[in-house]
């Protein structure tokens, strides 16, 4: 009887050890797989459209290139639409897909505060894939900056104040 | 008495915080639970059920079709038939000299030795059984150099060797040996003149693999053998991917040492062999010491069932090599033509002529290999690039070929074997084409190429739109590791 009690204790221990092994085996989080299988907002806007900001980051030699575009309502400064195209692993595709979802409907100043760590946490990215989320954060910032550079060029002094503010951010 | 004392001690330590009555109850509960608990599910039941398979966050409706025979191959049922009696009824240790069990096992091992040797046209006395090609390579490279370490201090190998040869060489380097890593051409073949000029008076070994595991190119074995004979340097070849697939003749090729593997030729895993020339005699320092089995080169009980399996696999390979070769070539053509007829920008990595047909390493331009693999869940293939592992670097073999880094990131290895069918190839073509098209639709590079931007030369677009704090972020390739460490 004692042996039974003891062996159960050991068995219990054994099960506890098994669990982390099982979670280690899982490579992609379900959300990554979901975004990979059904990527949101794939596509392109006309990059010459003054209401469109384009962020293109990465390098093919590194295995990751991300293009993220945002369409901004000129009056309110709200991001009305977003789309992406990504050359990269499943995590990079998922990161950019998530990024487009998150920026939609937000103010352009607001999206600058999206951090790569939030994306990485949402997708449970492993350490080797953290650069995918960094790329997504940079793509958002690049898109906003591109939009503002365009505006500054187009309308000169009238918009200069906003540009300055965004540059500070 | 001692057991009782021991038991009470355990009881005290286990349940020091509980009262004895609650312990009694707990014990009853635990007994009841133990009696009614269902048997634990088997490993397979944990990820496979009637609705499909779920593993590594991936759900698929059935088992994927297997196109990765370079990694390992299934055991041929005829091989398994030969093996089974040696597990259940004829289980003797082949080194037991005192009874029938030992004698019959010994006989079976010697028969297997003859079967292996006749496939490579060697004498059975020149075959040593090991645990696999990795061990054979270790014995060949380290064992040989250690044995002749007083006179020979230099090894020549290639940049595209298997990791176990390269790692053995690195080990030797740390001990003070000098290693020359020969570069390969764009086709993956070494330059014979460079080999000739690399040989020095103190060169103790030339090690060149016969068929490359990643890209399947066949090195000019006979020519290399001739050069080695001319300079009287031992020639080692890793023939794990070549055995049973291309004709091998140790005399014609002037091979001194050859590493062979069981599980790449439809034999069991965990067994391999080493060919060691007897005339002129090649000597090595054993890497495993012990009872002196296998002429003292590889101590440890010879695993009779595995060795019998490898022997049977070699015999089958000898009988069916020609037939397999014809079938596999036709299937490879079908696969390549099928993919090329539907999508452009498909490049075969490595020489197209000097190549084993069963290995087709393809790069799909503008599509990243790892994401392609992720989409090809129903096809078991592997990426030539090491991206799926912890490393973010593309395959060192493809880099040695001079494949540009962006294309090296896009490679996939299709392995075709004895049991691959035409319908499997057709399905693989269909799935690959669908996935490549989907990912190209999603690829900014493909879009730019269609717009007429030369992404190779006109690199100005990279980093131009934005380059926020590149150093802090550090996602340029070389900085990647540093970024991850943070």
């Amino acid at each position: 009887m004692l042996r039974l009690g003891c062996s159960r204790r050991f068995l219990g221990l054994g099960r506890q050890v098994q669990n982390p092994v099982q979670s280690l085996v899982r490579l992609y989080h379900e959300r990554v797989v979901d975004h990979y299988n059904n990527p949101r907002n794939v596509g392109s806007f006309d990059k010459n459209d003054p209401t469109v900001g384009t962020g293109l980051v990465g390098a093919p030699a590194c295995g990751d290139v991300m293009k993220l575009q945002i369409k901004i309502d000129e009056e309110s400064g709200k991001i009305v639409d977003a789309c992406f195209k990504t050359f990269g692993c499943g995590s990079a595709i998922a990161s950019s897909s998530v990024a487009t979802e998150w920026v939609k409907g937000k103010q352009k100043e607001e999206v600058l505060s999206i951090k790569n760590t939030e994306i990485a946490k949402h997708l449970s990215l492993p350490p080797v894939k953290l650069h995918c989320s960094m790329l997504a954060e940079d793509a958002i910032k690049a898109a906003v900056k591109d939009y503002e550079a365009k505006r500054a060029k187009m309308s000169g002094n009238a918009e200069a104040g906003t540009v300055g503010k965004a540059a500070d951010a | 008495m001692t057991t009782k004392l021991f038991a009470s001690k355990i009881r005290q330590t286990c349940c020091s915080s509980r009262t004895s009555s609650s312990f009694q109850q707990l014990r009853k509960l635990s007994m009841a639970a133990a009696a009614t608990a269902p048997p634990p599910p088997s490993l397979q039941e944990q990820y496979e059920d009637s609705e499909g398979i779920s593993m590594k966050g991936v759900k698929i409706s059935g088992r994927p079709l297997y196109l990765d025979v370079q990694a390992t191959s299934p055991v041929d049922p005829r091989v398994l038939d030969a093996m089974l009696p040696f597990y259940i009824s004829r289980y003797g240790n082949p080194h037991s000299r005192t009874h029938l069990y030992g004698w019959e096992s010994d006989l079976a091992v010697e028969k297997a030795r003859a079967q292996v040797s006749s496939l490579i046209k060697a004498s059975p006395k020149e075959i040593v059984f090991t645990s696999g090609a990795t061990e054979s390579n270790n014995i060949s490279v380290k064992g040989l150099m250690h044995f002749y370490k007083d006179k020979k201090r230099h090894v020549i190998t290639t940049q595209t060797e298997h990791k176990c040869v390269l790692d053995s060489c690195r080990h030797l380097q740390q001990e003070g040996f000098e290693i020359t890593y020969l570069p390969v051409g764009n086709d993956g073949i070494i330059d014979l003149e460079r080999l000739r000029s690399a040989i020095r008076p103190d060169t103790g070994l030339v090690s060149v693999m016969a068929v490359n595991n990643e890209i399947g190119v066949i090195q000019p074995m006979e020519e290399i053998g001739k050069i080695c004979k001319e300079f009287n340097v031992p020639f080692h070849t890793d023939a794990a991917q070549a055995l049973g697939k291309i004709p091998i003749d140790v005399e014609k090729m002037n091979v001194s040492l050859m590493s062979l593997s069981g599980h790449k030729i439809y034999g069991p895993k965990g067994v391999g062999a080493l060919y060691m020339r007897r005339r002129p005699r090649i000597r090595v320092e054993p890497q495993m010491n012990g009872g002196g089995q296998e002429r003292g080169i590889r101590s440890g009980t010879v695993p009779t069932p595995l060795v019998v399996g490898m022997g049977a696999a070699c015999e089958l390979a000898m009988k069916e090599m020609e037939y397999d070769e014809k079938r596999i070539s036709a299937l490879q053509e079908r696969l390549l033509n099928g993919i090329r007829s539907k999508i452009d920008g498909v490049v075969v990595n490595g020489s197209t002529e000097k190549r084993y047909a069963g290995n087709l390493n393809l790069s799909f331009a503008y599509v990243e290999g790892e994401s392609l693999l992720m989409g090809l869940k129903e096809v078991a293939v592997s990426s030539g690039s090491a991206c799926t592992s912890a490393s973010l670097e593309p395959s060192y073999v493809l880099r040695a070929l001079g494949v540009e880094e962006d294309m090296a990131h896009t490679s996939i290895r299709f392995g075709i074997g004895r049991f691959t069918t035409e319908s499997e190839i057709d399905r693989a073509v269909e799935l690959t084409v669908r996935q490549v098209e989907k990912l190209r639709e999603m690829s900014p590079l493909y879009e730019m190429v269609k717009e007429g931007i030369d992404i190779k030369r006109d690199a100005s677009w990279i980093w131009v739109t934005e380059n926020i704090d590149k150093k802090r972020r550090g996602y340029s390739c070389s900085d990647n590791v540093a970024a991850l460490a943070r």
Side-chain angles (χ1 to χ4, degrees):
Chain A
M1 231 185 252
L2 176 86
R3 234 185 303 154
L4 264 172
C6 276
S7 65
R8 265 188 65 77
R9 264 178 136 10
F10 290 130
L11 262 179
L13 241 175
R15 281 201 200 105
Q16 274 171 7
V17 175
Q18 262 176 10
N19 285 336
V21 175
Q22 276 174 348
S23 62
L24 262 181
V25 160
R26 168 160 288 176
L27 237 168
Y28 296 108
H29 189 265
E30 276 156 22
R31 285 190 183 133
V32 176
V33 176
D34 177 38
H35 276 279
Y36 173 82
N37 287 333
N38 313 297
R40 279 57 145 185
N41 313 312
V42 176
S44 286
F45 300 138
D46 177 11
K47 62 180 178 218
N48 299 318
D49 182 340
T51 63
V52 168
T54 305
L56 183 60
V57 292
C62 302
D64 290 299
V65 176
M66 211 175 265
K67 188 184 82 166
L68 192 140
Q69 291 183 307
I70 48 174
K71 193 171 258 176
I72 295 178
D73 179 49
E74 292 187 44
E75 278 172 23
S76 60
K78 203 166 128 182
I79 298 172
V80 290
D81 205 357
C83 65
F84 81 95
K85 281 202 174 186
T86 292
F87 164 85
C89 63
S91 308
I93 290 170
S95 296
S96 34
S97 176
V98 166
T100 55
E101 267 193 334
W102 285 4
V103 299
K104 256 199 215 175
K106 289 207 174 105
Q107 288 299 120
K108 64 176 194 287
E109 291 81 9
E110 205 181 329
V111 299
L112 293 171
S113 65
I114 293 176
K115 289 271 169 296
N116 70 67
T117 45
E118 295 166 40
I119 298 171
K121 202 176 155 197
H122 181 74
L123 295 173
S124 298
L125 295 183
V128 285
K129 295 294 177 193
L130 285 183
H131 67 287
C132 298
S133 61
M134 295 175 185
L135 217 51
E137 182 195 323
D138 287 3
I140 297 173
K141 290 192 168 144
V144 172
K145 200 167 174 186
D146 178 57
Y147 170 77
E148 273 159 3
K150 253 189 213 167
R151 298 281 300 172
K153 219 189 240 173
M154 296 265 299
S155 49
N157 299 337
E159 295 279 328
T162 356
V163 174
K165 232 186 259 168
D168 289 340
Chain B
M1 191 62 207
T2 39
T3 37
K4 263 190 181 173
L5 269 172
F6 181 57
S8 66
K9 193 79 189 163
I10 290 182
R11 198 178 306 184
Q12 276 166 15
T13 45
C14 282
C15 307
S16 51
S17 61
R18 293 195 189 98
T19 62
S20 69
S21 66
S22 72
F23 180 61
Q24 291 278 341
Q25 276 178 336
L26 195 84
R27 223 163 29 164
K28 266 185 204 159
L29 269 174
S30 75
M31 284 249 331
T36 53
S42 76
L43 190 62
Q44 199 180 344
E45 281 165 3
Q46 283 175 19
Y47 60 83
E48 208 170 322
D49 57 30
S50 56
E51 280 168 28
I53 303 165
S54 174
M55 204 175 197
K56 298 205 176 194
V58 165
K59 284 197 183 78
I60 28 180
S61 53
R63 295 187 69 79
L65 56 96
Y66 191 75
L67 287 181
D68 198 13
V69 289
Q70 272 74 39
T72 189
S73 58
V75 171
D76 192 303
R78 293 166 289 183
V79 169
L80 189 65
D81 281 346
M83 286 166 67
L84 282 176
F86 294 93
Y87 276 115
I88 310 161
S89 48
R90 294 191 244 159
Y91 42 78
N93 185 326
H95 315 295
S96 297
R97 301 279 177 227
T98 53
H99 48 68
L100 177 76
Y101 289 88
W103 303 332
E104 64 184 6
S105 289
D106 186 46
L107 202 67
V109 168
E110 291 317 311
K111 186 187 164 201
R113 209 183 293 281
Q115 285 168 324
V116 174
S117 67
S118 62
L119 182 58
I120 58 169
K121 308 232 167 32
S123 146
K125 288 176 184 167
E126 295 172 310
I127 301 294
V128 169
F129 284 113
T130 63
S131 66
T134 294
E135 187 183 349
S136 301
N137 282 332
N138 272 271
I139 297 173
S140 305
V141 176
K142 289 192 287 189
L144 182 94
M145 291 314 285
H146 284 161
F147 194 89
Y148 296 103
K149 60 175 178 271
D150 296 332
K151 284 180 190 154
K152 304 291 184 186
R153 305 294 299 171
H154 179 230
V155 177
I156 298 172
T157 185
T158 72
Q159 292 177 353
T160 56
E161 284 304 300
H162 191 269
K163 273 277 184 228
C164 62
V165 171
L166 292 178
D167 212 46
S168 296
C169 286
R170 193 166 311 150
H171 190 85
L172 287 177
Q173 231 167 345
Q174 282 167 355
E175 292 172 14
F177 289 91
E178 282 177 61
I179 317 282
T180 301
Y181 299 96
L182 287 178
V184 293
N186 293 336
D187 53 0
I189 310 285
I190 62 160
D191 180 351
L192 292 170
E193 283 316 303
R194 274 190 110 134
L195 169 68
R196 184 185 289 272
S197 58
I199 295 177
R200 315 192 309 210
D202 67 341
T203 301
L205 179 69
V206 170
S207 178
V208 179
M209 76 198 312
V211 172
N212 188 278
N213 55 319
E214 274 196 33
I215 51 174
V217 297
I218 306 170
Q219 299 288 356
M221 302 300 289
E222 284 182 36
E223 286 82 347
I224 299 170
K226 246 177 233 157
I227 293 174
C228 291
K229 196 166 197 172
E230 195 182 309
F231 290 91
N232 201 18
V233 178
F235 173 30
H236 164 248
T237 183
D238 174 3
Q241 299 283 350
L243 184 68
K245 284 157 191 156
I246 60 167
I248 296 174
D249 184 330
V250 289
E251 292 308 323
K252 261 194 211 161
M253 295 172 174
N254 184 45
V255 172
S256 310
L257 293 144
M258 184 185 286
S259 305
L260 309 169
S261 177
H263 71 112
K264 312 277 189 196
I265 54 161
Y266 314 98
K269 295 165 184 53
V271 66
L274 172 65
Y275 160 80
M276 281 178 68
R277 181 171 285 277
R278 275 165 78 87
R279 283 194 197 85
R281 191 169 175 205
I282 290 292
R283 305 184 68 180
V284 297
E285 186 190 276
Q287 304 292 301
M288 186 93 78
N289 301 102
Q293 290 90 345
E294 299 294 286
R295 287 183 284 122
I297 290 155
R298 206 283 185 179
S299 287
T301 302
V302 170
T304 319
L306 299 183
V307 161
V308 166
M310 182 165 179
C314 284
E315 197 181 320
L316 283 176
M318 197 147 81
K319 280 187 200 150
E320 302 194 348
M321 197 190 298
E322 221 174 295
Y323 174 80
D324 282 350
E325 170 69 26
K326 263 187 217 155
R327 255 194 92 242
I328 289 170
S329 302
L331 289 176
Q332 187 231 39
E333 221 168 284
R334 193 183 179 98
L335 179 66
L336 187 60
N337 292 343
I339 290 176
R340 278 204 162 142
S341 67
K342 290 186 189 112
I343 45 180
D344 54 350
V346 181
V347 180
V348 179
N349 291 311
S351 168
T352 41
E353 296 93 37
K354 293 176 195 162
R355 178 183 202 97
Y356 168 58
N359 181 326
L360 193 59
N361 190 313
L362 299 179
S363 276
F364 298 89
Y366 325 119
V367 171
E368 205 265 343
E370 196 188 330
S371 60
L372 184 52
L373 277 184
M374 195 175 162
L376 286 177
K377 291 182 290 275
E378 286 160 57
V379 189
V381 285
S382 84
S383 145
S385 94
C387 267
T388 37
S389 64
S391 153
L392 295 160
E393 297 291 307
S395 149
Y396 67 95
V397 173
L398 293 182
R399 286 253 289 270
L401 253 62
V403 174
E404 286 183 54
E405 275 199 58
D406 57 332
M407 281 301 267
H409 271 288
T410 63
S411 71
I412 293 230
R413 181 183 69 186
F414 292 92
I416 305 163
R418 185 183 286 166
F419 300 112
T420 312
T421 61
E422 285 189 357
S423 56
E424 280 180 314
I425 294 290
D426 292 345
R427 179 87 179 128
V429 169
E430 185 193 329
L431 289 168
T432 308
V433 167
R434 192 195 297 165
Q435 201 58 31
V436 168
E437 279 171 349
K438 181 189 161 187
L439 289 170
R440 279 193 178 162
E441 201 51 48
M442 220 188 275
S443 167
L445 302 179
Y446 191 56
E447 188 184 59
M448 277 182 260
V449 169
K450 275 196 294 187
E451 282 170 12
I453 301 170
D454 185 345
I455 53 167
K456 292 246 166 65
R457 285 201 205 105
D458 184 11
S460 57
W461 57 269
I462 306 170
W463 308 117
V464 163
T465 28
E466 183 55 328
N467 193 355
I468 300 175
D469 242 0
K470 178 175 148 203
K471 281 211 176 113
R472 182 174 65 83
R473 293 261 176 260
Y475 48 60
S476 79
C477 294
S478 51
D479 293 343
N480 246 332
V481 181
L484 300 176
R486 252 176 267 136

